Amino acid sequence: MNIVVAIKHVPSTADELELNDDGTNLDFDEVDFVLNEFDEHAIEQAVLVKEAAGGEVTVVGVDVIEELDGVLHTALAKGADKAAKIVGDIEPPINSHTHARWLADAIGEMGPDLVLTGVQAVDDLDGQIGPMLAAHLDMPYVGVVTGVSASNGSVTVHKEYPGGVMAEFEVSLPAVIGVQAAEKPPRYAPISKIRQMAKSAEIEEIDADEDFEYEGCELRQMAKPVSAGHAEMLEGDAEEVAEKIIALLEDRGLL
Amino acid sequence: MLTTTERILFVLMALILGGLTAILFYGIYKIIRRGRPAPPRENVIPSLIGAAIDVLLQRPMFRSRPVLSVFHAFIFFGFSYYFLVNVTDVLEGFVPGFELIYGGQGPLEPLPDWPINLFNLIADILSVLTLLGMIVFLVRRFITHDKRLEFNEGVLLNPKVQQGWIRYDSLIVGVFILLHVGSRFLGQALRLAENGRPDPFMPFASAASFLFRGLSEGAFTFGIHLTWWLALGLILLFLPYFVRSKHIHLMVAPLNLGLGKPGPRGELDPATPPGSDDDAEPGAKYVQDLAWPRLMDAYACIMCNRCNDVCPAHSQGLVLSPAAVEVNKRWLFNEHFADFAYRGNLPDMPLTQHVISPEAVWACTTCYACVRVCPVGNEPMADIVDIRRRMIIEGEEMDSGIQTALESLAKNGNWFGKGSRARARWTKGLEFKVKDVTKEEAEYLWFVGDTASFDARVIPITQTVANVFQQAGVDFGILGRAERNSGNDVRRVGEEGLFEQLAEDNAAAFGKAQFKKIVTTDPHSLNALRNEYGPFVEENWEVLHYTNLLLELFESGKLSVSKPLSHYRVTYHDPCYLGRYNGEFSAPRKLLEILGVEFQEMPRNCENSYCCGAGGGQIWLGITPEGERPAENRIREALDALAPSSNGAAADDKQLLFVVTCPKDVIMYTDAVKTTGNEGKIEVRDMIQLVEEAISG
């Protein structure tokens, strides 16, 4: 089975985020990029399907800040077979329509049986890459999936609804699946394997269609929430704290 | 004395059984050679001589269990002396008239008496001491059932061991020694009884001879022949068994001590054998993946379980037993001796199924206590690290907490999941600006480490260190966002590749910085920087612990005590990676003396310090195992040591302190004081907090 995983490099939230001067987006010179967490699950799920049913896993993403190689090497160390990056004169931010267009162009050429991608990403909280990929590639789509197993010509996917209801879908292939969580937690990639990949692996480069432009909506402003107040810690032993609470409640006319 | 038939029989037995034993010994040599190459041993001859002296003085034994070690010394000296005694016994059997009693008979007659009398006296006394020692050991194992000879429930043990074969082996060896030494002793007593007079240089045999006075001539002859055969024939019969039995420790242990690991304790052996090609798999999956000294360890092990006594995991009741690692390897060799030794047809038996369970592998704190205490120089901890290395590279499932920590370390260079930009954020609380050594020169590069940089409970302590350094005029700077975790615990978790990456990143930062020495509050960083960064850095900087630097500052007058802290009664915990690994015991104690506190050692101190339970990646574990945690055990030990009744101090209102010099200890012990319900009774303080109080009084 030819499995393709579409991934996205997104700003890391490990550091405090800095905004650019005109407040229209992040200051991309001041943020580190990491692999979108849901895409980590998509990679894990793809490798699990490959291990169970055989096949080949290709990981592809847009090289937004020219640092995608590390992510691709990690995916290869985890069991992916091939890696590709979409390159060009690219500057962040890339909106999800452009992202989906470029990914679809690349993936279409690969002739996939199954396309997996993270159900959403922290950079835009759109959740649109999967559905748009499916539309571009003319394939069915199921999102928010928590497990994929392959059988002849189709895959069975699981999806969890609110209220503790589980659903099972049979999806005919080829198809696009938006992964919420892999069946198992993403595996650890030993650094020495990643370094081996960095030395030996070849990453295919695919040119982005830089003429594509999407003008549907525009991010007007990005700002940090202004803190409305702060918590006050009540010090002292239980008795004292209790008295303070009562005083506070009385003060506000609640007692 | 022997008849011709007896002589022929003895010589035949010696040739056949001796030859068989030689073949078996060659088998052991081949088994040990199945192991992978280890870093080359240097100065082998001086090292073997040193080991021989240590063994003769029984030094390694007295690291623990002093009383039992005395009885062991009896058996050791007796048994060693018996190598000489056996030679004279053979002569007594084969040379007509040759006898040692009364200063020498037969061909010995013309020689001076005194050397023979001295020889007899020593043999006589040692015979009795050996028998005494052996009886004590047998009583301890079979009658009083010393619990220390047992393993925790759930420890992976070879089926033969579960069936009690260590006990059977001990019994066989014990009875052999009793028969061998006892018969020889009785043989001499019979000779004295036959002659009808005691020998003043054989007091014990003379006393025993009175039991046999008045036997018939025939009975004497029979008795002397029988005891000769029980003493010497038994050795021959026993030789082939000896190779299987744990008793072989008496030959392998001195060799193992003499061929011990070169270099500092704090430097792990490489993950792949020195000189191996690039595709060699790191670490160990099968017993033959271990380095040869690890295979020799199995033959040196006497299965005394002293390592279990000091292991924080075993003491907590967990399924890790360092002793079982050696015991299981040994029984694996015994079971498949011919395959390993001669056929080279190595059984497909993963270590994690036959030697140590994965759960036990991940319970090790790498505190080094097992290696330090082992009287025969075994390193079960090295096996564990090698097994971890292979498990990591093969993608075996690992604890989720450890995985999260490693992923954060790979991504951010710290295990707190924070970006590298946040590393120097603790300096914002200071009233002065800390130099960035990558931008301006400083005498000391302060390697801060993850815990001291990021943990909210430790940051105030880190800030205090900075303030005290500043006050004392120390010219210091930090690497700031360029610093990465030192990789000490990463390496001990088995993630060799990540360790290399971190070390390379730090080395690159060092290369950009201008400084003369390195100082750190973190013993784990100190260990890696001092012992394991050799391949990564170009210069060999001196790496100091902050307690060394503080002591220097007091001694040079740059710091001085204005208010002695006599209102504290304190004990001090030696961090594993500062003390046992790097031998730094005195600076913290001298500091406490300078500060004027009342100091009381805990029973387990210095080399014998007890691990807090955080090392080797344990602090990252996602689960908390059952049982009394090592840190809790330690706090109780401290309270006992500091109790007024136990140290002769008068009951007073001095405040009790548990002084630490490691950022991880601050966390572990503050927590343990709470979980043991001892808040208000004892307080955990970092050394720097005491220094600050004393200098600003």
Side-chain angles (χ1 to χ4, degrees):
Chain A
M1 186 180 302
N2 185 6
I3 309 166
V4 175
V5 187
I7 60 163
K8 209 170 167 191
H9 216 191
V10 297
S12 164
T13 51
D15 273 313
E16 254 176 61
L17 294 171
E18 304 282 337
L19 297 176
N20 62 12
D21 290 340
D22 45 358
T24 53
N25 214 315
L26 299 175
D27 180 352
F28 288 102
D29 294 331
E30 285 298 318
V31 294
D32 290 329
F33 273 62
V34 293
L35 176 62
N36 171 34
E37 196 186 332
F38 293 100
D39 294 339
E40 290 198 33
H41 282 267
I43 293 172
E44 178 63 31
Q45 188 60 62
V47 175
L48 288 173
V49 170
K50 178 187 106 169
E51 283 170 352
E56 193 178 70
V57 175
T58 307
V59 178
V60 57
V62 177
D63 197 359
V64 191
I65 54 156
E66 295 182 13
E67 285 178 16
L68 196 66
D69 286 10
V71 171
L72 294 173
H73 293 143
T74 306
L76 291 167
K78 288 182 174 192
D81 305 281
K82 285 191 205 163
K85 59 182 179 185
I86 295 162
V87 295
D89 189 12
I90 300 170
E91 288 266 339
I94 305 292
N95 64 52
S96 51
H97 286 264
T98 311
H99 234 111
R101 178 75 258 169
W102 288 347
L103 283 168
D105 288 347
I107 294 169
E109 297 292 312
M110 297 174 181
D113 300 308
L114 177 63
V115 179
L116 297 178
T117 187
V119 69
Q120 58 175 349
V122 293
D123 60 345
D124 53 21
L125 287 182
D126 238 2
Q128 291 300 312
I129 296 277
M132 286 193 281
L133 270 180
H136 288 312
L137 296 167
D138 196 18
M139 293 180 188
Y141 175 79
V142 186
V144 205
V145 157
T146 55
V148 179
S149 50
S151 53
N152 298 339
S154 70
V155 290
T156 310
V157 303
H158 297 271
K159 185 164 170 162
E160 204 176 316
Y161 288 97
V165 183
M166 292 286 294
E168 190 181 287
F169 290 78
E170 192 175 315
V171 192
S172 56
L173 295 179
V176 179
I177 307 291
V179 177
Q180 157 104 347
E183 278 158 86
K184 285 186 188 167
R187 67 193 67 193
Y188 181 74
I191 300 299
S192 50
K193 277 204 176 165
I194 299 176
R195 292 179 141 200
Q196 249 171 36
M197 291 301 168
K199 271 187 216 155
S200 62
E202 272 181 42
I203 293 172
E204 187 190 348
E205 294 191 5
I206 299 165
D207 289 329
D209 172 12
E210 283 163 34
D211 298 336
F212 178 82
E213 241 171 86
Y214 171 76
E215 288 167 345
C217 60
E218 190 184 337
L219 179 57
R220 189 190 290 168
Q221 198 207 352
M222 197 176 257
K224 291 190 179 178
V226 183
S227 84
H230 60 273
E232 186 189 341
M233 299 305 288
L234 301 180
E235 307 274 345
D237 62 25
E239 291 281 328
E240 291 165 9
V241 173
E243 271 170 32
K244 285 179 191 167
I245 293 174
I246 290 168
L248 274 173
L249 293 175
E250 280 175 343
D251 211 35
R252 286 161 174 69
L254 294 164
L255 274 184
Chain B
M1 166 210 112
L2 293 178
T3 64
T4 312
T5 328
E6 281 178 315
R7 287 177 191 197
I8 294 170
L9 182 62
F10 187 81
V11 171
L12 278 177
M13 275 174 70
L15 286 174
I16 294 169
L17 295 169
L20 177 62
T21 308
I23 294 170
L24 294 174
F25 265 112
Y26 179 68
I28 293 181
Y29 167 77
K30 291 284 284 180
I31 287 179
I32 292 170
R33 289 294 303 271
R34 297 266 180 236
R36 302 216 287 196
R41 269 45 186 161
E42 285 150 16
N43 303 318
V44 172
I45 302 295
S47 169
L48 282 171
I49 294 171
I53 293 170
D54 275 351
V55 169
L56 282 175
L57 296 174
Q58 292 282 284
R59 255 191 220 140
M61 294 294 297
F62 284 91
R63 290 172 192 154
S64 66
R65 298 188 188 168
V67 177
L68 285 168
S69 298
V70 170
F71 288 106
H72 178 271
F74 290 168
I75 302 173
F76 166 77
F77 289 124
F79 220 76
S80 309
Y81 196 70
Y82 258 60
F83 280 109
L84 288 177
V85 171
N86 293 336
V87 173
T88 60
D89 285 358
V90 171
L91 292 173
E92 276 188 344
F94 282 80
V95 180
F98 186 105
E99 281 193 324
L100 289 171
I101 52 173
Y102 312 125
Q105 308 292 306
L108 294 176
E109 203 103 47
L111 298 178
D113 281 0
W114 71 266
I116 296 169
N117 282 334
L118 181 65
F119 182 84
N120 284 343
L121 182 65
I122 297 173
D124 194 57
I125 294 170
L126 285 178
S127 301
V128 173
L129 290 180
T130 306
L131 294 173
L132 175 70
M134 203 59 244
I135 288 167
V136 167
F137 278 10
L138 288 171
V139 165
R140 163 176 180 255
R141 186 178 285 272
F142 293 99
I143 296 172
T144 60
H145 297 290
D146 192 333
K147 285 266 176 255
R148 291 177 297 187
L149 295 170
E150 288 165 22
F151 295 90
N152 284 345
E153 207 174 308
V155 170
L156 176 73
L157 289 172
N158 182 287
K160 291 271 190 213
V161 177
Q162 288 176 33
Q163 288 160 24
W165 272 92
I166 295 180
R167 287 165 59 78
Y168 304 148
D169 189 27
S170 303
L171 188 63
I172 294 168
V173 172
V175 169
F176 159 75
I177 293 175
L178 288 181
L179 280 174
H180 172 62
V181 175
S183 300
R184 197 273 169 182
F185 175 75
L186 290 178
Q188 296 301 315
L190 282 165
R191 286 164 203 262
L192 294 174
E194 194 181 18
N195 285 283
R197 64 187 166 95
D199 179 336
F201 294 99
M202 301 171 79
F204 292 107
S206 298
S209 73
F210 286 97
L211 293 172
F212 306 117
R213 290 269 177 106
L215 290 182
S216 69
E217 188 61 28
F220 275 123
T221 309
F222 176 74
I224 288 170
H225 279 252
L226 178 68
T227 52
W228 192 92
W229 276 101
L230 279 178
L232 293 177
L234 198 65
I235 292 189
L236 295 181
L237 275 179
F238 187 74
L239 274 177
Y241 179 74
F242 182 73
V243 178
R244 276 185 83 81
S245 116
K246 64 181 190 149
H247 199 43
I248 198 176
H249 84 289
L250 72 87
M251 300 188 76
V252 184
L255 211 55
N256 205 39
L257 288 164
L259 297 175
K261 186 171 113 69
R265 285 179 176 181
E267 184 188 13
L268 285 175
D269 280 349
T272 47
S276 56
D277 42 3
D278 281 352
D279 54 358
E281 293 255 42
K285 181 170 192 177
Y286 301 101
V287 69
Q288 60 270 22
D289 295 330
L290 294 166
W292 65 263
R294 303 289 75 76
L295 308 193
M296 190 148 105
D297 285 348
Y299 279 95
C301 181
I302 187 62
M303 309 176 189
C304 65
N305 290 8
R306 287 177 190 227
C307 48
N308 285 356
D309 295 353
V310 296
C311 173
H314 195 268
S315 304
Q316 190 180 344
L318 307 184
V319 298
L320 168 60
S321 154
V325 172
E326 306 302 347
V327 168
N328 288 331
K329 277 188 290 184
R330 182 61 199 282
W331 282 96
L332 210 59
F333 294 146
N334 275 2
E335 264 182 298
H336 304 276
F337 191 84
D339 284 331
F340 276 113
Y342 311 117
R343 293 189 202 125
N345 168 19
L346 308 184
D348 176 21
M349 293 181 153
L351 291 161
T352 48
Q353 283 170 37
H354 296 270
V355 169
I356 177 171
S357 66
E359 195 188 342
V361 167
W362 293 110
C364 175
T365 68
T366 67
C367 72
Y368 205 80
C370 58
V371 184
R372 207 280 310 185
V373 83
C374 181
V376 299
N378 286 349
E379 294 186 46
M381 195 194 92
D383 298 56
I384 292 174
V385 171
D386 261 344
I387 294 169
R388 287 178 175 180
R389 284 165 164 170
R390 185 66 71 86
M391 288 173 87
I392 294 262
I393 206 77
E394 298 216 322
E396 304 264 346
E397 214 170 308
M398 68 172 107
D399 174 87
S400 64
I402 292 182
Q403 179 168 341
T404 308
L406 292 178
E407 279 166 354
S408 170
L409 283 157
K411 231 179 256 173
N412 311 305
N414 67 72
W415 53 275
F416 284 82
K418 299 269 176 68
S420 48
R421 260 183 284 276
R423 189 173 271 279
R425 203 160 282 161
W426 64 269
T427 59
K428 287 193 176 164
L430 298 174
E431 284 171 7
F432 59 95
K433 203 179 160 296
V434 177
K435 278 187 187 176
D436 180 340
V437 280
T438 59
K439 297 198 179 100
E440 49 183 323
E441 191 179 339
E443 186 183 358
Y444 287 97
L445 184 163
W446 178 5
F447 193 92
V448 188
D450 285 7
T451 313
S453 299
F454 292 107
D455 193 291
R457 291 163 290 185
V458 186
I459 284 175
I461 291 169
T462 313
Q463 291 167 336
T464 307
V465 174
N467 285 328
V468 172
F469 282 178
Q470 180 76 0
Q471 196 180 329
V474 177
D475 176 24
F476 71 98
I478 58 175
L479 290 171
R481 58 192 285 182
E483 184 184 299
R484 299 281 177 273
N485 181 290
S486 71
N488 190 65
D489 299 280
V490 169
R491 190 164 199 218
R492 278 144 188 88
V493 159
E495 206 344 352
E496 193 73 10
L498 180 53
F499 164 70
E500 283 167 17
Q501 180 185 304
L502 294 167
E504 283 166 16
D505 288 353
N506 278 322
F510 292 161
K512 283 186 217 137
Q514 286 181 298
F515 62 96
K516 295 202 175 70
K517 295 175 186 175
I518 298 175
V519 65
T520 179
T521 62
D522 175 26
H524 296 250
S525 301
L526 176 133
N527 186 67
L529 296 177
R530 189 185 276 184
N531 300 315
E532 299 194 309
Y533 268 42
F536 306 98
V537 293
E538 284 173 15
E539 216 171 315
N540 198 9
W541 292 283
E542 189 183 352
V543 184
L544 288 174
H545 192 236
Y546 74 131
T547 52
N548 298 113
L549 180 54
L550 289 170
L551 184 62
E552 224 176 277
L553 295 171
F554 275 111
E555 285 176 345
S556 63
K558 288 182 183 141
L559 285 177
S560 60
V561 173
S562 52
K563 187 185 82 179
L565 306 178
S566 55
H567 53 297
Y568 293 133
R569 178 152 58 240
V570 316
T571 192
Y572 170 67
H573 167 76
D574 291 278
C576 304
Y577 279 92
L578 185 66
R580 197 158 35 239
Y581 271 106
N582 285 291
E584 304 280 5
F585 303 113
S586 68
R589 287 175 171 77
K590 282 187 190 153
L591 278 174
L592 290 171
E593 205 183 313
I594 290 170
L595 297 176
V597 297
E598 185 191 331
F599 177 64
Q600 178 64 39
E601 287 282 9
M602 287 182 273
R604 292 176 289 187
N605 60 65
C606 297
E607 283 269 41
N608 194 30
S609 180
Y610 191 60
C611 176
C612 75
Q618 294 295 301
I619 202 168
W620 301 328
L621 276 189
I623 43 134
T624 313
E626 298 266 311
E628 184 196 42
R629 288 181 294 134
E632 296 173 336
N633 182 286
R634 190 69 162 156
I635 289 296
R636 296 193 173 103
E637 180 183 3
L639 279 168
D640 281 347
L642 292 172
S645 54
S646 76
N647 58 13
D652 50 35
D653 50 6
K654 285 194 178 183
Q655 194 182 342
L656 306 187
L657 298 184
F658 187 93
V659 178
V660 296
T661 57
C662 166
K664 287 192 178 80
D665 282 338
V666 175
I667 300 172
M668 298 303 285
Y669 289 116
T670 309
D671 199 33
V673 166
K674 286 182 193 146
T675 53
T676 52
N678 284 309
E679 271 174 301
K681 286 186 202 150
I682 189 166
E683 216 179 285
V684 177
R685 293 273 178 92
D686 191 278
M687 183 71 81
I688 200 67
Q689 295 171 300
L690 294 185
V691 170
E692 189 203 29
E693 188 182 340
I695 61 174
S696 57

